[in-house]
Amino acid sequence: MSCKTVLSKEISSSFREELKATIKSRGIKPKLVGFLANQDPSAVKYAESTSKTCEETGVVFELRKCNREELEDQIVEANEDDNIHGIMVYYPVFGDHVEGLCHKYIYNMYHNVRFLDREETKKCIIPCTPLAIVKVLEFIGVYNPVLPYGNRLHGRVITIINRSEIVGRPLAALLANDGGKVFSVDINSIQEFHRGTGLKLKKHEVRDTNLKLEEIVPISDVVITGVPTPSYKLPTALLRDGVIVINFSAFKNFEDNVREKASIYVPAVGKVTIAMLERNLLRLFDYKSQD
Amino acid sequence: MSCKTVLSKEISSSFREELKATIKSRGIKPKLVGFLANQDPSAVKYAESTSKTCEETGVVFELRKCNREELEDQIVEANEDDNIHGIMVYYPVFGDHVEGLCHKYIYNMYHNVRFLDREETKKCIIPCTPLAIVKVLEFIGVYNPVLPYGNRLHGRVITIINRSEIVGRPLAALLANDGGKVFSVDINSIQEFHRGTGLKLKKHEVRDTNLKLEEIVPISDVVITGVPTPSYKLPTALLRDGVIVINFSAFKNFEDNVREKASIYVPAVGKVTIAMLERNLLRLFDYKSQD
């Protein structure tokens, strides 16, 4: 079998080591508070892995459980506490609504604004899972480092099957802002995110396409899935030979024979997500101390 | 303009520096003899650049001019001279025939045999221009170093417009052996070179395809041209947005607007070819001294 399986543990390890070394050498105690306002087994599991990884790397993690009605007040309170450097909320809380991401960062992400300051010293915070997938794509050679920063996906065609507000849509925007041509698929429609021929646009634009899944998957260099049901399987027959496939769903969205066709298979990204969570926390710690 | 132009000087410089340092530190005098049996201006120019680069890097270069009728005897004589480590013949000599490459190396190249010995210490010699283009593709990120050696082009679709025996056909074989799906175009036909779905074959196979140039260019990640006429121009309109384009012809085979669509443009490979010539010479020097 020529397919190479790349595990998220391998991808995340250099980030984890770097975080650990930084926290130790600087003697700092960045603190993360996680709010759990549901009984969703995936959310509980995510909270447990967060706790474990934080302990390993030297981040103080505190899990606060509450009812969803109390959540807003609790967030406001934590936000005013100078000893807390980052807050995360385990989803879902109120179902399908857009939840919890800071408005300024959302705006900047969609508008391809990468820094908070004119001097470009403070990078914007990117949501953990989309950021983790960017790091996965860098690790496995989809970003071309020969191209200038910001254009390194030029020429890549990427399908993302998931357009949730917390992963699929921001991911499509990030990859299109980096120069990729992205097909964003949800149950209702397929949209195309891109910066135009020759990347003539500064930020991506979005348009509906009449192309069907059966037409876009065979022309995609990379296919990323995040369908939250055990029954969904993308047919291997649709994939281009040598495709790169990445799954971020808790369920396997590819068929068992996907490795007969793919060149690289990343079955999960969870460990990279937690490394990015801590990396974001460290940035927030620094921005707070510079205020 | 988002396209990045990569010059062969930049690609070859690290190879040249390495060659220079090796030759100096080992105190060796590898000697290359070039035979010029024609008045072709490109051949004369190539001989001149060889001479210049050899001088810079510490290779002894001797140009021997002769009539084409004398050439065979002269090659045999040079081949028996222990002070000569490499021989090259400037083409063309007898027109379109297969000329001058050592049979064993040709066989090994087409059969994906990469070493001369079982212990895999002696790499086979690859013809300079195809090898130079492999190095160009490595430099600009087309080979994916995450994949195992020998499979690093898996998933890449590459069109080569030239199927000469000295560049286009061996190049198609090399890239297909490395896992790529290669369309090899000449004036009469288009052939497909590849190792099958999931790279199930150990070496490439070749088949004719009914696909037309207008169908293969738009699905190619990389387009490599080597058409030896000033009038040939590949229409930019056919190219995929973000394509990587490489020209090894002495004439510009792409239209002036190619940079509006390509992500990377390599206008020439000559300097890399000469670096590979010297690299091959150094291997031959070592193999000779190990005999």
Side-chain angles (χ1 to χ4, degrees), chain A residues 69 88 140 157 184 215 235 273 280:
Chain A
E69 292 75 18
M88 72 175 300
I140 61 179
V157 178
S184 170
E215 294 168 294
T273 301
N280 278 345

Side-chain angles (χ1 to χ4, degrees), chain B residues 215-228:
Chain B
E215 294 167 295
I216 60 168
V217 171
I219 59 168
S220 294
D221 305 304
V222 181
V223 176
I224 303 171
T225 55
V227 183

